[in-house]
């Protein structure tokens, strides 16, 4: 009878694969299961165990099918197991009432077909163990052994899954010294049981490896992947046993699992199982078996994505070591970094065809680990960066990684890690960081540099020494000077490009973080460094980068003045600063806009006057004369006048007219040829007109005073020959 | 047996076990008929009481009442051939007249019963009591079958069966059964190792085959009957797999192995290991096992239950000296194929 059925199966196996047919096949099978299940429950209600078992066997016969897809077989299995549960409950109940039959374990073994027989045997075994009818240890061993009879991958996997499910609560979890141990078994029996079941299930699963037409490859592999959880459940069970400790894990569990994982030589299985091991077992276990685990990694099939496995482990241990905010979780005797570092090097060495992005990703994970677990040991992070650079140098010396490639992306990710977990001052201690950055092409370098600046600004990190500033500039060079490999970008690096403006504004803002709070001389050095660096950036950048230097320099003069008691050379230093500013502003005048240098000059003059040092006047003069010498001053003034006339707010306007007048007077006094009495007169007239328009509230009182002072001065001066013809009313 | 139909006046009954202590067995007579028979062993007395019943107000004149104990072999395909190997006779009553129902005790002491009762396809070995009321014209004959079981001792030598078989370059397997001699309620425990698998096997089963040979010389009849068919593997194994075998015998209708009984017949048993491939080709290897009847005793309970989960353990090498060491590269014996022309070329 069974033979006949088998023939039918093979004949219709092709038809079984079409999807419509699948639904019908499943529906039919489910229908049969329900009928048998109904009959089973009916006879069990009449206390007829033997009849019940017969119906159960018939129902289980449906699981012998070869026609269903894995997914549909699963559906069927779920329903069958659910129905089988009725039998189990009935038998358990019988035993609880002292009516249980004692020979069922043997009786069910007469079932002619192996699949129904083993499902029944597992069910009875389960009941018998719980009822203490048979020794637990022997039954467990028997069940897991007998299941070898089902070598069909799909049927075997589901059978063993049922086994695992049934014994879940029955696995002995006690130590060996227990007196009862011989009968009930110990943890060692449980380990044998699960490890054997695991190996067998994995072998079955691996056997589903598809070898047919590539057309179906993806679908078949997907189907296979969906079954992986069945295999993985064994590992979950192992992890749930309380008597498994680090020692047992290291000496029994892991070696056995690894033996199977390595020997199965199937990349889908290896990838999944390694990931599974990492996720289901506790961190302490991994910490104590790192070498074993990593050694096994090297023995995996060449097509296994080793990168994900290793990263997964490193990330997990990194997270563990930094949990609760401390690094105490890692025992001192475990040299996490060294182990990973060596093993990863070995892995990379053993896989000649490993793509560079994978190597970088591994190094990234390692870097992450070293920075997070060994925060203060910069040599670790540095070593990783050094190795990364070396790897690329070994491929091709001094060759940039092409933009947009996976390797480039991984490198960017890697370089962001230190920025995220350190502040920049610590990053600067990683002296190989720069070398790795240099591996990148322009666009990726740009990304990283922007990331660095944004991070500094966000964290408001203060960079206190000139040396650090220098180092930082070395990193940020891409943004500071024109890059040889950015030819395409260079043309766009002007004020008209929003991105460029944003970029340079950031660079400029960065300057505010260069602060040597209690050391003006240091600040002075910083200013010098900035000047030295920014001067190579071209005029378009200077527009953004110089003003903060200049303003900072002015500010520094005030700081010197404040400490003039302690620093007798303060005046000299101030002078140097003014000279420097002068030089810088001078450069800026090359820009087509004049108001920027003008304002900076004026600001400088103001600063000089406020400082009031011995030579302040000279300096102020210098500044104004700079304007003079420049000849563009007149243009500046004209433009200023024009701008002033356009101002809407009258009081501001008047104030600016006053300033303008003062400036004109100054230059008039300086004998600037183009400025004469007529010009002054027109300005005076204008100012008088405008002043009469403004209201006389308190705010404006100050302005009036100012103007009054100007006029007073002029009246005074009008007596001089030079001011002849000045028209000013009294 | 009253041919003329006149003897309905008299009937007889055999009371063999008045105390109800003797075991009985349900015996299949033919496809529709079964009967319950008392079980006897070699050397036991066959004793009891014969009740002769008369209809009321009738009388039977007879030439004597005789009781026989007979052991005979019947060739079923040749009814005429009946071979008696035992015939013990007792005269229970002298010639006279029976006027009333009467009971007569009898005893055949220490009866030698050298063979096991057997009810086969072409042959029947039976023991029975025959009561004959001898009359002038036609005798009244009454018969009563008993079942004889032949108990054996534990065999002194009981080696495991181990053999490597296969088809060159296609399939090499090694199978082991824990014993070569099994009692009727025994369990066959074994293992099958797959050493080489290059064909797609669909499943594997073990069958118990009974071979009944009758007759001699040119008149030999051989009957093969599959007593049990038992799937032991589902799906295709790969090299290196070992598949457990555990087959309980108690559930099947088996007899002890009988060899050359009275030079009339033999009954032998074989375990047939069958592998079926995806094209439904069957590869098989038959191995004779010797069956014997063990005395029913209340055996050790734990031992009894342990067989439920017994597994084959390879005997230690010391006990294995009689067996040939197997070599993995060569095949000792060739697996039979159902159709030899159909052996796959790989």
């Amino acid at each position: 009878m069974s033979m006949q059925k088998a023939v039918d199966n093979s004949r219709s196996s092709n038809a079984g694969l079409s999807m419509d047919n699948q639904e019908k096949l499943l529906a039919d099978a489910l229908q049969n299961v329900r009928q048998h299940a109904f009959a089973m429950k009916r006879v069990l209600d009449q206390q007829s165990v033997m009849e019940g078992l017969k119906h159960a066997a018939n129902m289980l016969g449906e699981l012998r099918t070869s026609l269903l897809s894995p997914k549909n077989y699963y559906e069927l299995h779920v329903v069958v197991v659910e129905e089988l549960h009725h039998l189990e409950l009935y038998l358990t109940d019988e035993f609880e009432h002292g009516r249980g039959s004692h020979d069922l374990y043997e009786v069910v073994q007469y079932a002619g077909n192996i699949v129904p027989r083993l499902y029944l045997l597992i069910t009875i075994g389960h009941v018998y163990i719980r009822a203490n009818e048979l020794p637990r240890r022997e039954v467990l061993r028997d069940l897991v052994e007998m299941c070898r009879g089902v070598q069909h991958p799909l049927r075997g996997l589901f059978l063993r899954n049922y086994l695992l499910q049934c014994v879940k609560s029955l696995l002995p979890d006690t130590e060996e010294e227990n007196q009862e141990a011989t009968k009930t078994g110990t943890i060692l029996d449980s380990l044998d049981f699960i490890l054997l079941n695991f190996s067998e299930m994995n072998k079955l699963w691996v056997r589903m490896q598809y070898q047919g037409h590539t057309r179906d490859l993806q679908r078949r592999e997907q189907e296979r992947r969906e079954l992986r959880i069945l295999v993985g459940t064994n590992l979950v069970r192992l992890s749930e046993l309380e008597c498994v400790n680090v020692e047992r894990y290291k000496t029994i569990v892991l070696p056995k699992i690894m033996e199977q994982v390595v020997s199965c030589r199937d990349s889908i299985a290896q990838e999944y199982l390694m990931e599974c091991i990492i996720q289901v077992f506790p961190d302490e276990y991994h910490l104590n078996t790192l070498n074993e685990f990593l050694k096994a990694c090297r023995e995996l099939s060449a097509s296994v994505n080793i990168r994900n496995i290793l990263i997964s482990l490193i990330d997990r241990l990194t997270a563990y070591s930094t949990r609760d905010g401390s690094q105490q979780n890692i025992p001192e005797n475990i040299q996490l970094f060294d182990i990973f570092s060596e093993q990863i090097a070995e892995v990379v060495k053993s896989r000649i065809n490993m793509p560079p992005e994978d190597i970088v990703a591994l190094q990234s994970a390692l870097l992450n680990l070293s920075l997070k677990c060994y925060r203060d040991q910069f040599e670790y992070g540095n070593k990783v960066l050094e190795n990364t650079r070396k790897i690329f140098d070994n491929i091709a010396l001094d060759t940039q990684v092409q933009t947009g490639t996976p390797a480039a992306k991984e490198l960017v990710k890697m370089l962001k890690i230190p920025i995220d977990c350190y502040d920049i001052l610590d990053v600067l201690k990683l002296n190989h960081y720069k070398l790795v950055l240099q591996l990148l092409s322009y666009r990726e370098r740009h990304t990283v540099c922007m990331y660095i600046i944004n991070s500094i600004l966000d964290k408001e990190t203060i960079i206190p020494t000139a040396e650090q500033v220098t180092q930082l500039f070395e990193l940020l060079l891409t943004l500071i000077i024109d890059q040889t490999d950015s030819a395409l970008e260079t043309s766009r690096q002007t004020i008209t490009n929003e991105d460029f403006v944003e970029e340079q504004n950031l660079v400029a803002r960065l300057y505010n973080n260069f602060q040597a709070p209690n050391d003006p001389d240091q600040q002075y050095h910083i200013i010098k460094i900035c000047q030295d660096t920014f001067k190579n950036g071209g005029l378009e950048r200077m527009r953004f980068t110089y003003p903060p230097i200049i303003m900072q320099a002015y500010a520094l003069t005030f700081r010197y003045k404040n400490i003039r008691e302690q620093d007798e050379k303060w005046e000299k230093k101030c002078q140097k600063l003014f000279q420097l500013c002068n030089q810088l502003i001078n450069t800026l005048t090359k820009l087509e806009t004049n108001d920027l240098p003008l304002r900076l000059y004026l600001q400088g003059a103001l600063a000089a006057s406020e400082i009031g040092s011995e030579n302040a006047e000279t300096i102020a003069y210098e500044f104004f004369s700079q304007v003079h010498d420049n000849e563009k001053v007149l243009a500046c003034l004209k433009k200023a006048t024009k701008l002033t006339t356009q101002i809407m707010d009258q009081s501001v306007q008047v104030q600016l007219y006053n300033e303008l007048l003062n400036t004109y007077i100054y230059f008039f006094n300086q004998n600037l040829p183009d400025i004469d009495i007529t010009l002054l007169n027109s300005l005076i007239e204008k100012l008088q007109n405008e002043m009469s328009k403004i209201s006389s509230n308190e705010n404006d009182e100050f302005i009036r005073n100012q103007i009054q002072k100007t006029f007073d001065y002029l009246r005074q001066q009008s007596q001089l020959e030079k001011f002849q013809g000045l028209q000013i009313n009294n | 047996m009253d041919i003329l139909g006149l003897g309905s006046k008299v009937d007889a009954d055999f009371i063999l076990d008045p105390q109800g202590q003797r075991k009985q067995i349900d015996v299949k007579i033919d496809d529709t008929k079964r009967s319950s028979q008392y079980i006897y062993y070699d050397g036991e007395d066959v004793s009891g009481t014969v009740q002769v019943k008369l209809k009321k107000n009738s009388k039977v004149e007879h030439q004597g009442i005789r009781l026989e104990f007979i052991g005979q072999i019947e060739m079923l395909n040749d009814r005429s051939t009946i071979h008696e190997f035992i015939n013990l006779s007792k005269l229970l009553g002298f010639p006279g007249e029976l006027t009333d129902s009467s009971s007569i005790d009898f005893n055949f002491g220490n009866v030698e019963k050298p063979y096991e009762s057997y009810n086969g396809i072409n042959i029947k070995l039976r023991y029975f009591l025959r009561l004959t009321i001898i009359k002038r014209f036609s005798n009244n004959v009454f018969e009563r079958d008993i079942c004889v079981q032949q108990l054996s001792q534990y065999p002194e030598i009981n080696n495991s069966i181990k053999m490597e078989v296969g088809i060159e370059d296609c399939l090499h397997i090694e199978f082991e059964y824990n014993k070569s001699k099994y009692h009727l309620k025994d369990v066959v425990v074994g293992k099958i190792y797959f050493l080489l698998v290059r064909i797609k096997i669909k499943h594997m089963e073990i069958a118990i085959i009974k071979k009944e040979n009758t007759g001699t010389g040119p008149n030999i009849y051989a009957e093969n009957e599959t007593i049990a068919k038992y799937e032991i593997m589902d799906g295709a194994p790969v090299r290196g797999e070992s598949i457990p075998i555990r087959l309980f015998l108690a559930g099947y209708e088996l007899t002890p192995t009988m060899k050359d009984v009275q030079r009339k017949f033999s009954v032998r048993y074989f375990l047939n290991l069958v592998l079926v491939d995806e094209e439904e080709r069957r590869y098989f290897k038959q191995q004779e096992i010797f069956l014997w009847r063990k005395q029913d005793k209340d055996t050790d309970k734990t031992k009894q239950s342990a067989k439920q989960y017994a597994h084959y353990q390879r005997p230690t090498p010391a006990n294995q000296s009689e067996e040939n060491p197997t070599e993995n590269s060569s095949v000792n014996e060739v697996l039979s194929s159902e159709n030899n022309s159909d052996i796959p070329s790989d």
Side-chain angles (χ1 to χ4, degrees):
Chain A
M1 190 59 200
S2 69
M3 290 301 303
Q4 191 55 49
K5 194 165 184 180
V7 175
D8 290 346
N9 285 356
S10 74
R11 280 193 191 137
S12 51
S13 65
N14 285 333
L17 292 174
S18 89
M19 283 304 143
D20 295 349
N21 209 4
Q22 277 288 302
E23 280 177 26
K24 189 182 178 309
L25 286 167
L26 177 62
D28 290 351
L30 286 172
Q31 173 73 18
N32 293 341
V33 165
R34 288 200 189 93
Q35 277 173 8
H36 294 308
F38 179 77
M40 174 186 81
K41 285 182 265 188
R42 201 183 51 194
V43 296
L44 288 179
D45 285 346
Q46 296 156 3
Q47 308 295 312
S48 178
V49 182
M50 295 310 284
E51 285 299 306
L53 288 175
K54 260 180 217 165
H55 288 299
N58 286 340
M59 173 180 84
L60 289 162
E62 292 296 323
L63 288 179
R64 299 179 63 222
T65 180
S66 299
L67 302 178
L68 294 176
S69 69
K71 195 172 159 293
N72 286 335
Y73 192 85
Y74 166 77
E75 301 275 333
L76 181 65
H77 186 260
V78 168
V79 175
V80 171
V81 166
E82 205 178 287
E83 297 291 1
L84 204 53
H85 192 56
H86 285 281
L87 176 67
E88 186 199 315
L89 287 180
Y90 171 81
L91 294 172
T92 307
D93 191 60
E94 289 289 287
F95 274 101
E96 277 166 10
H97 291 87
R99 304 192 288 261
S101 328
H102 305 292
D103 56 352
L104 297 183
Y105 198 78
E106 181 175 332
V107 164
V108 296
Q109 292 189 55
Y110 283 101
N113 287 313
I114 188 160
V115 170
R117 181 197 312 148
L118 290 176
Y119 272 95
L120 287 175
L121 196 67
I122 292 166
T123 309
I124 304 289
H126 178 196
V127 174
Y128 272 26
I129 290 175
R130 284 213 308 217
N132 263 325
E133 187 65 22
L134 286 178
R136 173 198 308 240
R137 184 185 188 177
E138 304 297 336
V139 172
L140 287 178
R141 196 176 294 171
D142 185 44
L143 292 175
V144 75
E145 275 291 328
M146 291 312 278
C147 283
R148 287 182 195 271
V150 180
Q151 292 288 321
H152 184 275
L154 192 62
R155 293 193 283 271
L157 278 173
F158 279 97
L159 174 73
R160 286 184 178 273
N161 182 251
Y162 177 67
L163 171 63
L164 199 59
Q165 194 181 322
C166 278
V167 302
K168 187 178 176 183
S169 59
L170 301 177
L171 291 168
D173 198 1
T174 54
E175 291 298 336
E176 293 152 78
E177 54 264 32
N178 194 310
Q179 290 291 316
E180 284 288 291
T182 44
K183 211 178 158 197
T184 57
T186 68
I187 178 67
L188 296 179
D189 296 302
S190 292
L191 292 183
D192 284 350
F193 177 91
I194 304 176
L195 287 167
L196 177 58
N197 200 52
F198 162 73
S199 297
E200 292 300 315
M201 281 180 90
N202 191 49
K203 282 196 268 178
L204 292 170
W205 188 47
V206 167
R207 228 180 278 169
M208 294 181 88
Q209 215 173 35
Y210 183 61
Q211 280 154 345
H213 202 284
T214 44
R215 184 182 54 205
D216 295 332
L217 182 69
Q218 273 198 318
R219 181 173 63 84
R220 292 301 195 85
E221 287 199 340
Q222 186 51 35
E223 282 179 354
R224 222 194 108 190
R225 282 202 174 85
E226 283 165 7
L227 296 171
R228 63 189 187 177
I229 186 87
L230 299 177
V231 184
T233 310
N234 288 289
L235 302 185
V236 174
R237 275 299 163 275
L238 283 170
S239 75
E240 286 167 351
L241 292 170
E242 285 185 6
C243 288
V244 172
N245 49 26
V246 170
E247 190 53 30
R248 286 211 169 96
Y249 179 75
K250 191 181 174 116
T251 54
I252 304 174
V253 177
L254 188 66
K256 280 277 182 194
I257 296 175
M258 283 306 183
E259 185 190 323
Q260 173 56 219
V261 172
V262 169
S263 68
C264 79
R265 292 193 289 186
D266 173 84
S267 55
I268 294 180
Q270 291 181 336
E271 269 174 42
Y272 170 67
L273 292 172
M274 295 300 267
E275 184 66 33
C276 206
I277 293 168
I278 294 170
Q279 299 310 332
V280 305
F281 292 107
D283 304 291
E284 296 94 309
Y285 292 10
H286 297 314
L287 278 174
N288 286 285
T289 52
L290 275 180
N291 279 318
E292 289 87 344
F293 185 92
L294 294 170
K295 189 172 159 285
C297 283
R298 299 212 300 272
E299 294 168 18
L300 299 181
S301 144
S303 53
V304 164
N305 188 336
I306 191 94
R307 157 191 165 173
N308 290 353
I309 295 169
L310 290 173
I311 289 176
S312 184
L313 179 63
I314 296 175
D315 286 352
R316 178 152 183 182
L317 292 181
T318 305
Y320 171 70
S321 75
T322 52
R323 204 173 296 153
D324 315 321
S326 72
Q327 296 152 41
Q328 294 154 1
N329 294 326
I330 309 275
E332 273 185 19
N333 60 339
I334 297 172
Q335 298 300 319
L336 208 50
F337 178 82
D338 291 338
I339 294 172
F340 272 119
S341 183
E342 281 162 27
Q343 295 287 355
I344 284 177
E346 288 295 322
V347 167
V348 171
K349 214 197 294 174
S350 69
R351 295 188 163 224
I352 308 148
N353 294 326
M354 197 171 199
E357 60 267 28
D358 284 7
I359 300 175
V360 177
L362 283 174
Q363 299 292 337
S364 284
L366 195 55
L367 183 64
N368 194 32
L369 171 101
S370 60
L371 297 189
K372 286 183 176 157
C373 301
Y374 302 95
R375 242 196 116 70
D376 304 324
Q377 279 149 288
F378 296 99
E379 67 270 22
Y380 286 160
N382 224 2
K383 193 174 160 195
V384 178
L385 292 164
E386 185 184 2
N387 285 340
T388 308
R389 172 78 199 207
K390 260 191 211 155
I391 289 162
F392 281 91
D393 283 346
N394 287 343
I395 297 170
L397 195 64
D398 291 330
T399 310
Q400 282 184 344
V401 179
Q402 210 182 343
T403 189
T405 55
K409 284 177 189 159
E410 289 296 338
L411 278 171
V412 170
K413 273 194 219 162
M414 180 178 195
L415 289 169
K416 283 180 177 178
I417 294 170
I419 305 300
D420 287 338
C421 57
Y422 278 177
D423 66 29
I424 190 68
L425 300 180
D426 286 336
V427 176
L428 294 176
K429 292 178 192 161
L430 303 170
N431 48 20
H432 284 93
Y433 186 92
K434 186 177 61 188
L435 298 174
V436 175
L437 181 62
Q438 285 164 356
L439 284 171
L440 291 169
S441 303
Y442 174 75
R443 199 182 307 162
E444 280 85 13
R445 281 203 317 275
H446 183 267
T447 308
V448 174
C449 289
M450 291 294 275
Y451 195 80
I452 294 175
I453 294 184
N454 276 314
S455 158
I456 297 172
L457 293 174
D458 286 350
K459 293 180 187 165
E460 298 178 352
T461 316
I462 297 300
I463 294 130
T465 72
E467 194 195 345
Q468 286 163 330
V469 171
T470 311
Q471 290 170 343
L472 179 61
F473 283 154
E474 282 172 6
L475 289 187
L476 298 177
L477 221 52
T478 304
L479 303 182
I480 293 170
I481 61 167
D482 287 342
Q483 300 292 298
T484 50
D485 60 343
S486 65
L488 233 152
E489 316 273 337
T490 313
S491 61
R492 299 176 57 243
Q493 286 170 347
T494 67
I495 185 113
T496 53
N497 182 330
E498 268 182 37
D499 292 340
F500 178 72
V501 171
E502 193 198 327
E503 166 198 311
Q504 291 302 318
N505 270 328
L506 282 175
V507 177
R509 278 178 61 196
L510 190 59
Y511 195 88
N512 295 325
N513 295 49
F514 301 162
Q515 303 276 355
N518 300 313
D519 188 353
D521 289 349
Q522 187 65 250
Q523 191 77 47
Y524 178 78
H525 285 307
I526 292 175
I527 291 171
K528 279 297 283 180
I529 294 292
C530 290
Q531 184 217 358
D532 286 350
T533 311
F534 290 146
K535 75 180 176 201
N536 299 322
L539 214 49
E540 285 297 335
R541 287 195 181 82
M542 291 175 190
R543 183 203 304 276
F544 299 94
T545 53
Y546 273 14
I549 306 181
I550 295 163
M551 296 311 285
Q552 179 77 259
Y554 292 158
L556 186 56
T557 58
F558 290 107
R559 281 174 65 188
Y560 275 124
K561 188 190 176 188
N562 286 340
I563 57 156
R564 59 185 181 277
E565 310 290 314
Q566 292 101 51
D567 190 349
E568 53 190 23
K569 290 191 200 155
W570 74 276
E571 280 178 312
K572 226 176 179 175
K573 287 174 180 170
C574 285
Q575 188 171 359
K576 263 190 168 172
L577 281 167
F578 283 121
Q579 275 169 1
L580 176 78
C581 291
N582 199 351
Q583 205 183 331
L584 294 179
I585 303 171
N586 195 8
T587 313
L588 286 179
T589 56
K590 290 173 196 149
L591 286 166
E592 63 275 21
T593 52
N594 290 316
D595 50 339
L596 178 66
L598 174 68
R599 267 190 278 132
L600 290 168
Y601 273 135
L602 293 179
Q603 197 73 45
L606 186 65
S609 66
E610 297 263 328
I611 291 296
S613 64
E614 224 171 73
N615 53 359
E617 274 178 52
T618 334
I619 294 164
Y621 174 77
E622 276 283 327
F623 274 80
F624 289 122
S625 63
Q626 277 296 327
V627 179
H628 166 66
D629 290 348
N630 201 309
E631 297 211 349
K632 278 193 174 179
V633 168
L634 196 63
C636 285
L637 286 172
K638 273 186 181 156
K639 183 151 189 193
T641 315
K642 197 178 161 197
L643 284 168
T644 310
T645 57
Q646 287 165 357
I647 301 260
M648 306 295 282
D649 187 321
Q650 276 192 332
S651 15
V652 175
Q653 195 180 36
V654 171
Q655 197 175 3
L656 286 171
Y657 273 130
N658 183 40
E659 301 261 341
L660 262 176
L661 181 57
N662 275 297
T663 314
Y664 272 101
I665 294 167
Y666 171 80
F667 285 115
F668 181 73
N669 274 326
Q670 301 295 325
N671 301 320
L672 205 75
D674 293 332
I675 298 175
D676 54 14
I677 289 291
T678 333
L679 226 153
L680 290 183
N681 280 341
S682 64
L683 206 56
I684 293 166
E685 193 188 340
K686 185 85 186 160
L687 184 57
Q688 279 170 340
N689 278 338
E690 294 299 324
M691 193 173 70
S692 60
K693 286 181 196 164
I694 61 166
S695 55
S696 52
N697 61 34
E698 269 181 43
N699 287 345
D700 297 336
E701 197 54 38
F702 172 76
I703 302 166
R704 281 172 192 283
N705 277 338
Q706 293 288 309
I707 295 170
Q708 206 52 55
K709 277 182 185 161
T710 311
F711 285 176
D712 286 349
Y713 171 78
L714 281 174
R715 282 188 202 100
Q716 210 183 343
Q717 298 294 308
S718 64
Q719 309 303 317
L720 300 173
E721 194 189 343
K722 187 173 172 146
F723 282 85
Q724 213 173 11
L726 188 74
Q727 290 176 348
I728 184 161
N729 54 355
N730 290 313
Chain B
M1 285 289 155
D2 186 356
I3 292 158
L4 297 176
L6 301 169
S8 54
K9 288 188 276 187
V10 63
D11 197 4
D13 224 349
F14 298 85
I15 312 292
L16 298 178
D17 182 31
Q19 270 89 45
Q21 284 174 332
R22 188 168 288 279
K23 273 195 198 162
Q24 296 183 69
I25 190 169
D26 193 38
V27 174
K28 186 176 161 188
I29 305 297
D30 56 44
D31 285 344
T32 55
K33 239 168 47 190
R34 301 186 80 87
S35 82
S36 196
Q37 294 178 0
Y38 286 109
I39 297 173
Y40 285 83
Y41 300 103
D42 186 23
E44 267 189 315
D45 289 358
V46 178
S47 61
T49 306
V50 175
Q51 286 181 340
V52 179
K53 297 170 189 169
L54 286 185
K55 282 197 172 165
K56 273 204 170 155
N57 303 323
S58 63
K59 55 182 180 179
V60 172
E61 209 178 309
H62 64 86
Q63 306 295 314
I65 300 171
R66 193 172 70 221
L67 182 68
E68 293 162 287
F69 178 79
I70 298 166
Q72 70 180 30
I73 295 169
E74 299 171 14
M75 312 296 272
L76 300 184
N77 50 358
D78 185 2
R79 275 281 178 176
S80 57
T81 317
I82 291 176
H83 172 77
E84 278 188 6
F85 55 87
I86 287 178
N87 191 328
L88 306 171
S89 179
K90 274 188 196 311
L91 195 61
L92 294 187
F94 292 104
E97 196 179 65
L98 286 170
T99 55
D100 209 351
S101 296
S102 58
S103 294
I104 312 154
D105 291 344
F106 69 90
N107 181 34
F108 294 100
N110 304 326
V111 183
E112 191 187 342
K113 299 181 274 301
Y115 310 113
E116 171 118 357
S117 296
Y118 176 72
N119 196 353
I121 296 162
N122 287 327
I123 207 144
K124 191 171 187 174
L125 187 153
R126 58 188 284 248
Y127 292 91
F128 59 101
L129 291 163
R130 182 194 284 157
L131 180 74
T132 312
I133 299 170
I134 305 161
K135 288 162 61 180
R136 194 173 296 165
F137 299 109
S138 69
N139 297 340
N140 289 117
V141 179
F142 305 94
E143 292 183 357
R144 174 69 180 269
D145 281 69
I146 63 163
C147 175
V148 170
Q149 293 191 339
Q150 205 62 32
L151 296 178
S152 306
Q153 298 296 312
Y154 269 97
E156 272 176 25
I157 298 170
N158 197 351
N159 289 325
S160 63
I161 297 173
K162 181 178 172 186
M163 187 170 278
E164 190 182 324
V165 295
I167 302 162
E168 200 67 45
D169 294 332
C170 274
L171 180 70
H172 292 189
I173 63 170
E174 186 181 290
F175 64 81
E176 302 191 35
Y177 305 130
N178 59 336
K179 300 174 190 173
S180 47
K181 296 168 185 170
Y182 294 95
H183 62 78
L184 297 179
K185 295 194 174 153
D186 215 343
V187 49
V188 178
V189 173
K191 244 179 189 168
I192 292 159
Y193 304 92
F194 283 84
L195 305 173
L196 176 77
V197 188
R198 285 200 189 138
I199 52 174
K200 287 193 171 171
I201 295 168
K202 205 164 70 182
H203 62 111
M204 175 166 68
E205 64 193 28
I206 236 177
I208 304 173
I209 293 174
K210 182 168 96 173
K211 292 191 179 177
E212 179 188 295
N213 284 318
T214 53
T216 47
N219 300 322
I220 285 184
Y221 296 89
E223 290 286 345
N224 285 0
E225 188 187 354
T226 301
I227 305 286
K229 203 185 254 183
Y230 193 71
E231 190 184 23
I232 54 171
M233 185 184 76
D234 169 38
V238 294
R239 211 177 82 131
E241 292 292 349
S242 78
I243 307 298
I245 303 169
R246 188 161 69 225
L247 174 62
F248 289 90
L249 298 177
Y252 305 108
E253 288 188 19
L254 300 171
T255 67
T257 295
M258 292 179 251
K259 277 191 180 152
D260 214 13
V261 174
Q262 288 284 309
R263 298 182 163 219
K264 294 283 182 253
F265 77 101
S266 296
V267 178
R268 295 157 75 197
Y269 287 90
F270 293 80
L271 287 179
N272 191 25
L273 185 69
V274 186
L275 293 107
V276 181
D277 73 7
E278 287 194 337
E279 268 94 52
E280 293 300 318
R281 281 181 293 241
R282 298 164 69 85
Y283 308 91
F284 56 91
K285 181 70 194 173
Q286 288 189 4
Q287 198 64 34
E288 183 168 9
I289 52 169
F290 181 86
L291 296 184
W292 55 282
R293 189 181 293 283
K294 192 173 77 130
Q295 192 169 359
D296 270 341
K297 275 188 230 160
D298 287 330
T299 41
D300 185 6
K301 197 92 198 262
T302 51
K303 206 177 163 190
Q304 194 70 17
S305 88
K307 73 174 186 184
Q308 296 180 76
Y309 41 79
H311 282 266
Y312 181 66
Q313 301 282 328
R314 272 201 171 180
T316 49
N319 302 342
Q320 234 179 330
S321 52
E322 286 180 40
E323 289 165 87
N324 296 327
T326 50
E327 292 164 44
N328 284 348
S329 54
S330 73
V331 175
N332 295 346
E333 295 220 15
V334 175
L335 269 176
S336 312
S337 176
E338 204 167 47
N339 178 356
N340 278 326
S341 64
D342 208 9
I343 292 175
S345 56
D346 187 26

